[in-house]
Amino acid sequence: MSEYILETKGLTRRFGGLVAVDNVDMCMKSGELVGLIGPNGAGKSTFFNCLTGFYPPSEGEVRFMGSPITGLKPYQVAKLGIGRTFQNLRIMPNMTVFDNVSVGSIGSVGHSLRRAVWPFRCRADEEISQRTWDILKRVGLDSLAGELAANLSYGKRKYLEIARALATNPKLLILDEPAAGLNEQETAELADFIGEMNADGIPILLVEHDMGLVMGICHRVMVLALGRKIADDTPKAVQKNPEVLEAYLGGEECQY
Ligand code: ADP
Ligand code: MG
């Protein structure tokens, strides 16, 4: 068994002539909370989509828990245990908060076709229901379980999206810009929550535009700029890295 939960070697993704992710090597150990940051257009979401099967890489390899997962489809990657959120929320607005989360649980409690016959279905349904309540409590949405997702505030929808990812019982959680659109206080609360999930034993790769969020909670921070990895270090060292400062200050949208 590899000592790494997640590893990429030479990961590259091109769109026509554009190299969105350029020969990126990374690795992550199982207890870690790792930040992946970079200015807009750095290739973060593309990297993320290559890890989770949404884009096949043009070159390179992705390994999860020691096995290659390069080229697998998103549902296969999810089934192996990589949970994800999307930069643009993908919750189902016309379903209740409860149903949004319970849908995610279905695959994680062995609810196979074979089991979908009475009386086993009842047992599986109960298990899903219990799991859903546990997760809703964990993210602080249990009192809103019966609300339509569309009626939630933007900040609460972010937690719903995380709850949906947790429902799949992930061995690794990858979050794409979870703080986008949140105010300072909401961002600080979300940072605490992400830190708690990690302390509870879930390895997390946190993809963020906002340096502030990752610096307080991540053990290690990798920085992408124009598709290339330009730093991989402790938060403190990354904050002082001249190439990183240049990438951020030189960008159109300076957050730091
Ligand atoms: P980030 O998430 O760091 O802001 P992205 O991964 O979204 O960056 O984008 C990296 C580069 O790849 C950008 O130049 C973007 O325009 C380009 N890109 C991303 N997705 C696509 C796509 N589906 N087709 C063409 N170009 C894309
Ligand atoms: Mg992005």
Side-chain angles (χ1 to χ4, degrees):
M1 192 60 144
S2 163
E3 66 172 310
Y4 300 118
I5 188 156
L6 183 70
E7 214 176 343
T8 71
K9 290 242 165 70
L11 198 70
T12 299
R13 171 69 203 203
R14 298 189 194 88
F15 295 110
L18 178 89
V19 190
V21 173
D22 191 357
N23 199 23
V24 173
D25 293 341
M26 70 88 74
C27 56
M28 172 171 175
K29 288 185 183 161
S30 69
E32 278 193 302
L33 169 43
V34 175
L36 175 68
I37 64 169
N40 273 334
K44 303 183 296 297
S45 291
T46 304
F47 183 72
F48 187 117
N49 283 322
C50 288
L51 296 180
T52 49
F54 282 77
Y55 293 154
S58 309
E59 279 165 41
E61 193 186 22
V62 185
R63 296 179 83 84
F64 177 56
M65 299 188 358
S67 303
I69 60 163
T70 325
L72 293 188
K73 300 275 180 255
Y75 76 90
Q76 294 171 311
V77 172
K79 212 162 176 206
L80 286 173
I82 300 186
R84 68 165 294 176
T85 62
F86 291 85
Q87 185 171 349
N88 303 308
L89 300 177
R90 296 259 180 116
I91 56 179
M92 290 173 266
N94 296 320
M95 281 170 68
T96 62
V97 166
F98 186 91
D99 287 345
N100 261 281
V101 178
S102 66
V103 161
S105 291
I106 288 172
S108 67
V109 295
H111 191 282
S112 68
L113 263 186
R114 196 160 50 82
R115 285 189 62 180
V117 274
W118 189 85
F120 303 105
R121 194 179 66 191
C122 295
R123 222 173 285 157
D125 285 351
E126 261 170 43
E127 211 176 318
I128 289 169
S129 175
Q130 189 54 53
R131 246 187 91 63
T132 302
W133 281 114
D134 289 348
I135 291 165
L136 288 175
K137 278 188 201 128
R138 190 169 182 190
V139 303
L141 288 177
D142 48 321
S143 63
L144 295 167
E147 273 296 333
L148 286 185
N151 296 337
L152 294 187
S153 68
Y154 187 70
K156 294 252 186 304
R157 282 189 226 181
K158 294 268 179 178
Y159 285 90
L160 179 55
E161 172 108 349
I162 293 173
R164 276 165 54 97
L166 288 176
T168 63
N169 207 11
K171 298 186 178 86
L172 167 69
L173 189 57
I174 318 188
L175 308 172
D176 194 7
E177 301 214 18
L182 298 184
N183 67 30
E184 215 169 296
Q185 169 157 4
E186 289 169 327
T187 302
E189 284 168 7
L190 182 66
D192 286 345
F193 179 67
I194 291 169
E196 281 165 25
M197 285 195 291
N198 178 248
D200 282 348
I202 305 177
I204 298 177
L205 178 61
L206 175 58
V207 178
E208 255 302 325
H209 176 80
D210 180 356
M211 266 214 215
L213 174 67
V214 301
M215 290 307 169
I217 55 171
C218 290
H219 305 133
R220 186 156 61 86
V221 177
M222 296 184 298
V223 188
L224 284 185
L226 298 175
R228 282 189 315 113
K229 188 172 93 173
I230 60 168
D232 187 346
D233 217 327
T234 62
K236 246 190 184 156
V238 160
Q239 273 171 300
K240 290 189 198 130
N241 182 313
E243 210 180 334
V244 174
L245 293 173
E246 169 61 26
Y248 268 81
L249 295 169
E252 274 173 32
E253 217 173 302
C254 170
Q255 287 244 341
Y256 193 70

